[in-house]
Amino acid sequence: MLSQLAQRQPDTPVVPGLARLVAQIRPDDAGDFVQATSNLRALTYLLSRHDHYRAGLRRALIDLLGSTRQVQLYTDTGTLSNETFSQALRRRIGERVLPPARSPSHLADQFGVIFCQREDYRWVGALSPEVWQEFWQALCWEEEAVAAANPTRLQLLEAVQVLTARITAIGLEPELVRTYPEIERFESPFLHLSAEALRYVESARSAMVDEQQPDEDDRQVLVLLEQCEEVIVRLRKASANRGVSVSLTYHVTRLQQHIRRVRDLLALLHPQRSPARDDTLFRLLAELVRADNRRYSLRDVFASNTELLARQVTEHAGRHGEHYIAENRSQWVAMGKAAMGAGVIVGFMALLKLLIATLHLPLIWEAVAFGLNYALGFMLVHVLHFTIATKQPAMTAARIAAAIHEGGGKANMAELAELVVKVMRTQFVAILGNVLLAIPVAWAIAECWQQLSGTPVIDRDKAAHLLHDLDPVSSLALFHAAIAGVYLFLSGLIAGYYDNKAIYRQIPQRLAALPWLNRLLGEARTRRFGHYVEHNLGGLAGNFYFGMFLGVTGTIGFLLGLPLDIRHITFSSAYLSYAAVTYDYALPLPLVLWSLGGIMLIGMVNLLVSFSLALWVALRSRKLRGSDALPLLPAVAKRFLRGPRDFFFPPAEKVRDDASASR
């Protein structure tokens, strides 16, 4: 292939030859980094030993750069375009179905022809800078005239000008200004960046024409870029108090990408530095290859644009999670009482669910009735400050992820294990409170109903069906419990989303300013109502959606012919009581024990699924991996061996002992 490039005629297209050369370097498996390194080193060896190979490849690269428009590659590839999140999604979907034509006059399009395999970015990015340095040195660029680099240098300068103009425009977007008003109050670096970049570009162009001109100085541009990055940091901090949206995240992500690209281009343009002196050139190459290979990826759009929103949602969930962690015995007892209150309400919710089923409503109306029963019941639990045990994992997972993040992914595992101990014993008392009250309350309701009406709440067929649904082996109880776990996780995200929405959209302030509401309630009550909405909108919305999810799943499964349904530990406990009363307590002991075991397994699956999903999202929102939480497992196991009782009951408080000792 090198010999063909060396013998290439000036009017012969260069891209096919370069594509074949890359194909020879490309490993058989994109993940085989050893083979990729070996192949590139073999090419480096040939170039260092054969002058005509070296000259042919060098001339091919120069002809490619000289005959194509390069600016688009530097400004657009690997950076988000000036479009909304939804427009970006629609465009990528359209391009996946019908890819756009590649222009022979644009380097960005021809770049994708050279690196044409979808996973080329893996081996290109895995090659070490040292290997790239050896390849670059083997090309012996000093043998070429300096003027050969001028076309590329001019287009790099133009790319800097385009990118800085975009940074200025994005930095003054109304949404950014509203979130961080200080951008307008003080002298904005975004306003000066474009003008300073223009001065730098003109100076650089003059230096290329007149060698007597002093070298261009990019220090002021770099200072302004640094100030822009400081504004982004402050804007992110401000969003914690003022909320965030997908649109705001999109603007912030675009700013970061453009600033990073300008820094890379300035490093390549530095007059005192070879383009390959550091790894900037090779890192940029890997970034461009990845961007082109994944130009149709929908996952990348979601990942890059929802990161800040996911972080904000999980942060709100994490703040709620603080209330679900009992730090001492008094808080542990209070959590148990709150769970008992929820158990009482669930006993009545289970009754309504069974009564609605006896009405045999049309399917859609039955699903709505089931959903509203769950939703309004859960919202009542929230309003009365009670707690449903299975709601806790989605909240506490964000708190654990935050603890890992505070240690940079290497948190103090002993302290983190203590946090897990507190979470688990709080979860234990919450489940205990829910179940211990749901069972007797449901039993009391069933007995009273039977005494007053002369018939049980449900007939024996329905009771047998309820008992079968508790069987973890012969029914799909655990699968249905996993579905409920997914809904628990989603309800946690929804709660965080609406908490963020209340702040970002300034819903409390807008409510307080409503004239008709002030006339109806009075100013003081309206302000209190707005304050309540600010702190409870997420909880109410999460509980409402969770209830509707639970209510409609069975109907959707029936309509689709799929075995979809839900199992929730607290409701399953109540159903056992209703079934026992219907059978007049004539249930075999093994069946009762087996049903209790099924209830326990249902609860475990509820908790495990919701906690795992919530922890995964919380880690990803902080740019951590699942492996960052793995060291926690042995730390928790060691803590359990040292004090298993602490996982269920808090240690005795020593406040009084310490106070008496100080006297």
Side-chain angles (χ1 to χ4, degrees):
M1 193 60 254
L2 285 174
S3 60
Q4 294 178 18
L5 288 174
Q7 299 169 8
R8 184 182 62 87
Q9 298 300 317
D11 57 345
T12 304
V14 67
V15 171
L18 291 174
R20 287 192 292 270
L21 180 62
V22 170
Q24 291 184 340
I25 302 173
R26 182 183 296 121
D28 298 329
D29 179 5
D32 190 348
F33 309 140
V34 174
Q35 184 185 358
T37 301
S38 176
N39 290 347
L40 186 58
R41 278 188 165 151
L43 175 62
T44 301
Y45 177 80
L46 290 175
L47 294 175
S48 63
R49 290 290 185 271
H50 300 279
D51 295 346
H52 61 292
Y53 287 170
R54 181 165 65 237
L57 178 56
R58 209 169 47 227
R59 177 49 51 188
L61 292 173
I62 291 173
D63 288 349
L64 173 65
L65 295 174
S67 62
T68 55
R69 175 80 172 159
Q70 304 173 37
V71 176
Q72 187 181 13
L73 177 68
Y74 308 136
T75 59
D76 296 349
T77 303
T79 60
L80 294 172
S81 57
N82 184 23
E83 56 189 357
T84 65
F85 176 65
S86 58
Q87 288 173 338
L89 278 180
R90 288 198 298 270
R91 178 178 58 80
R92 292 209 176 193
I93 292 172
E95 290 178 349
R96 286 179 70 123
V97 176
L98 187 63
R102 294 185 181 271
S103 170
S105 61
H106 284 83
L107 182 59
D109 291 335
Q110 296 306 300
F111 194 80
V113 175
I114 297 172
F115 295 94
C116 56
Q117 295 298 318
R118 289 198 310 173
E119 294 193 338
D120 276 343
Y121 71 92
R122 294 180 60 194
W123 63 267
V124 172
L127 291 169
S128 68
E130 292 78 14
V131 176
W132 282 117
Q133 288 282 0
E134 293 170 4
F135 170 70
W136 183 267
Q137 291 169 5
L139 284 169
C140 297
W141 287 99
E142 63 275 6
E143 296 177 3
E144 289 291 335
V146 177
N150 283 347
T152 297
R153 191 172 182 82
L154 286 172
Q155 299 210 45
L156 286 171
L157 290 168
E158 186 178 344
V160 168
Q161 203 168 346
V162 171
L163 288 169
T164 51
R166 289 182 184 174
I167 292 171
T168 298
I170 301 168
L172 299 177
E173 280 284 340
E175 195 161 12
L176 272 67
V177 174
R178 190 183 71 80
T179 304
Y180 185 63
E182 286 78 2
I183 292 178
E184 283 187 324
R185 293 176 193 167
F186 304 103
E187 202 169 11
S188 172
F190 296 108
L191 283 173
H192 296 281
L193 179 62
S194 185
E196 183 60 32
L198 178 61
R199 185 208 60 78
Y200 164 77
V201 169
E202 290 177 347
S203 174
R205 286 172 178 164
S206 299
M208 291 172 61
V209 175
D210 185 0
E211 294 183 359
Q212 302 301 319
Q213 289 279 347
D215 291 332
E216 64 274 14
D217 185 3
D218 60 1
R219 284 179 296 181
Q220 186 59 29
V221 178
L222 292 173
V223 168
L224 289 171
L225 288 175
E226 187 175 346
Q227 291 176 358
C228 291
E229 289 173 328
E230 291 173 357
V231 171
I232 293 175
V233 171
R234 290 195 291 269
L235 192 148
R236 281 179 170 269
K237 290 180 179 178
S239 67
N241 298 320
R242 295 171 180 155
V244 72
S245 68
V246 173
S247 177
L248 177 63
T249 306
Y250 195 85
H251 292 316
V252 171
T253 304
R254 284 192 72 207
L255 272 177
Q256 292 175 316
Q257 290 178 344
H258 283 69
I259 290 173
R260 186 166 59 247
R261 183 60 57 82
V262 171
R263 285 186 178 278
D264 289 341
L265 298 185
L266 291 176
L268 296 179
L269 285 165
H270 199 286
Q272 306 299 331
R273 216 183 326 176
S274 165
R277 185 173 179 178
D278 54 25
D279 64 344
T280 302
L281 175 62
F282 314 121
R283 181 170 45 78
L284 180 60
L285 173 65
E287 183 181 326
L288 294 174
V289 173
R290 177 184 174 83
D292 188 86
N293 289 168
R294 301 185 65 83
R295 64 192 303 183
Y296 309 132
S297 171
L298 302 180
R299 181 187 301 175
D300 286 359
V301 176
F302 276 105
S304 61
N305 291 287
T306 58
E307 176 263 323
L308 185 58
L309 180 62
R311 173 70 179 272
Q312 187 74 354
V313 166
T314 53
E315 286 289 350
H316 283 294
R319 284 196 284 272
H320 287 298
E322 298 287 356
H323 304 298
Y324 287 104
I325 301 175
E327 297 287 345
N328 50 50
R329 179 163 292 188
S330 59
Q331 292 180 2
W332 185 83
V333 172
M335 180 61 70
K337 292 178 180 178
M340 289 179 180
V344 173
I345 295 176
V346 167
F348 285 94
M349 291 170 64
L351 171 67
L352 291 175
K353 168 72 162 47
L354 296 172
L355 293 178
I356 292 171
T358 62
L359 298 177
H360 302 293
L361 298 172
L363 286 176
I364 298 300
W365 292 114
E366 184 178 69
V368 172
F370 285 158
L372 288 176
N373 173 51
Y374 285 124
L376 296 177
F378 289 141
M379 292 173 74
L380 179 61
V381 168
H382 178 84
V383 169
L384 296 178
H385 302 291
F386 295 151
T387 183
I388 299 291
T390 49
K391 293 284 290 180
Q392 293 173 283
M395 306 298 184
T396 54
R399 176 67 187 89
I400 292 174
I404 297 175
H405 182 256
E406 287 165 7
K410 296 179 173 61
N412 186 320
M413 286 301 155
E415 294 180 2
L416 199 52
E418 284 299 325
L419 175 62
V420 173
V421 171
K422 294 176 184 177
V423 168
M424 294 187 71
R425 67 177 173 235
T426 308
Q427 187 66 71
F428 169 74
V429 73
I431 291 176
L432 200 64
N434 282 168
V435 172
L436 288 183
L437 262 292
I439 290 177
V441 168
W443 168 81
I445 293 172
E447 277 291 343
C448 291
W449 184 282
Q450 183 161 307
Q451 293 298 325
L452 294 174
S453 66
T455 58
V457 176
I458 54 176
D459 57 29
R460 289 211 168 199
D461 289 340
K462 181 64 175 179
H465 180 72
L466 292 178
L467 291 173
H468 174 73
D469 287 344
L470 300 179
D471 192 321
V473 176
S474 62
S475 74
L476 295 175
L478 300 186
F479 172 65
H480 294 155
I483 295 176
V486 174
Y487 291 156
L488 287 161
F489 154 71
L490 291 176
S491 69
L493 290 186
I494 290 170
Y497 170 79
Y498 274 92
D499 277 331
N500 172 75
K501 191 179 185 71
I503 298 173
Y504 186 74
R505 297 297 181 189
Q506 298 181 322
I507 292 177
Q509 293 86 338
R510 290 158 72 178
L511 285 173
L514 282 175
W516 65 267
L517 193 59
N518 279 276
R519 288 195 301 269
L520 181 65
L521 301 178
E523 288 189 17
R525 288 193 183 92
T526 302
R527 283 197 301 271
R528 287 200 297 271
F529 177 66
H531 180 77
Y532 182 84
V533 168
E534 180 180 0
H535 292 87
N536 293 275
L537 179 63
L540 293 171
N543 280 294
F544 176 81
Y545 280 99
F546 179 52
M548 296 305 296
F549 289 155
L550 295 184
V552 304
T553 298
T555 303
I556 292 175
F558 179 80
L559 293 174
L560 297 178
L562 298 175
L564 300 180
D565 209 340
I566 58 96
R567 295 290 177 270
H568 189 278
I569 179 174
T570 313
F571 286 91
S572 298
S573 304
Y575 292 149
L576 178 60
S577 291
Y578 285 111
V581 172
T582 297
Y583 274 98
D584 199 20
Y585 312 107
L587 294 176
L589 181 60
L591 177 60
V592 175
L593 295 177
W594 187 245
S595 298
L596 290 173
I599 291 171
M600 292 177 60
L601 290 174
I602 287 171
M604 290 177 62
V605 173
N606 288 159
L607 301 176
L608 183 62
V609 171
S610 60
F611 180 80
S612 300
L613 291 173
L615 182 61
W616 178 76
V617 170
L619 289 171
R620 289 296 300 270
S621 72
R622 290 166 172 80
K623 297 184 178 180
L624 298 174
R625 297 168 298 177
S627 58
D628 292 318
L630 289 180
L632 182 59
L633 296 178
V636 172
K638 187 184 299 184
R639 180 64 180 81
F640 182 80
L641 294 175
R642 192 168 72 246
R645 185 180 182 279
D646 293 341
F647 280 71
F648 304 98
F649 305 99
E653 298 180 29
K654 300 181 179 180
V655 178
R656 293 181 180 177
D657 295 341
D658 294 341
S660 60
S662 63
R663 292 175 187 172

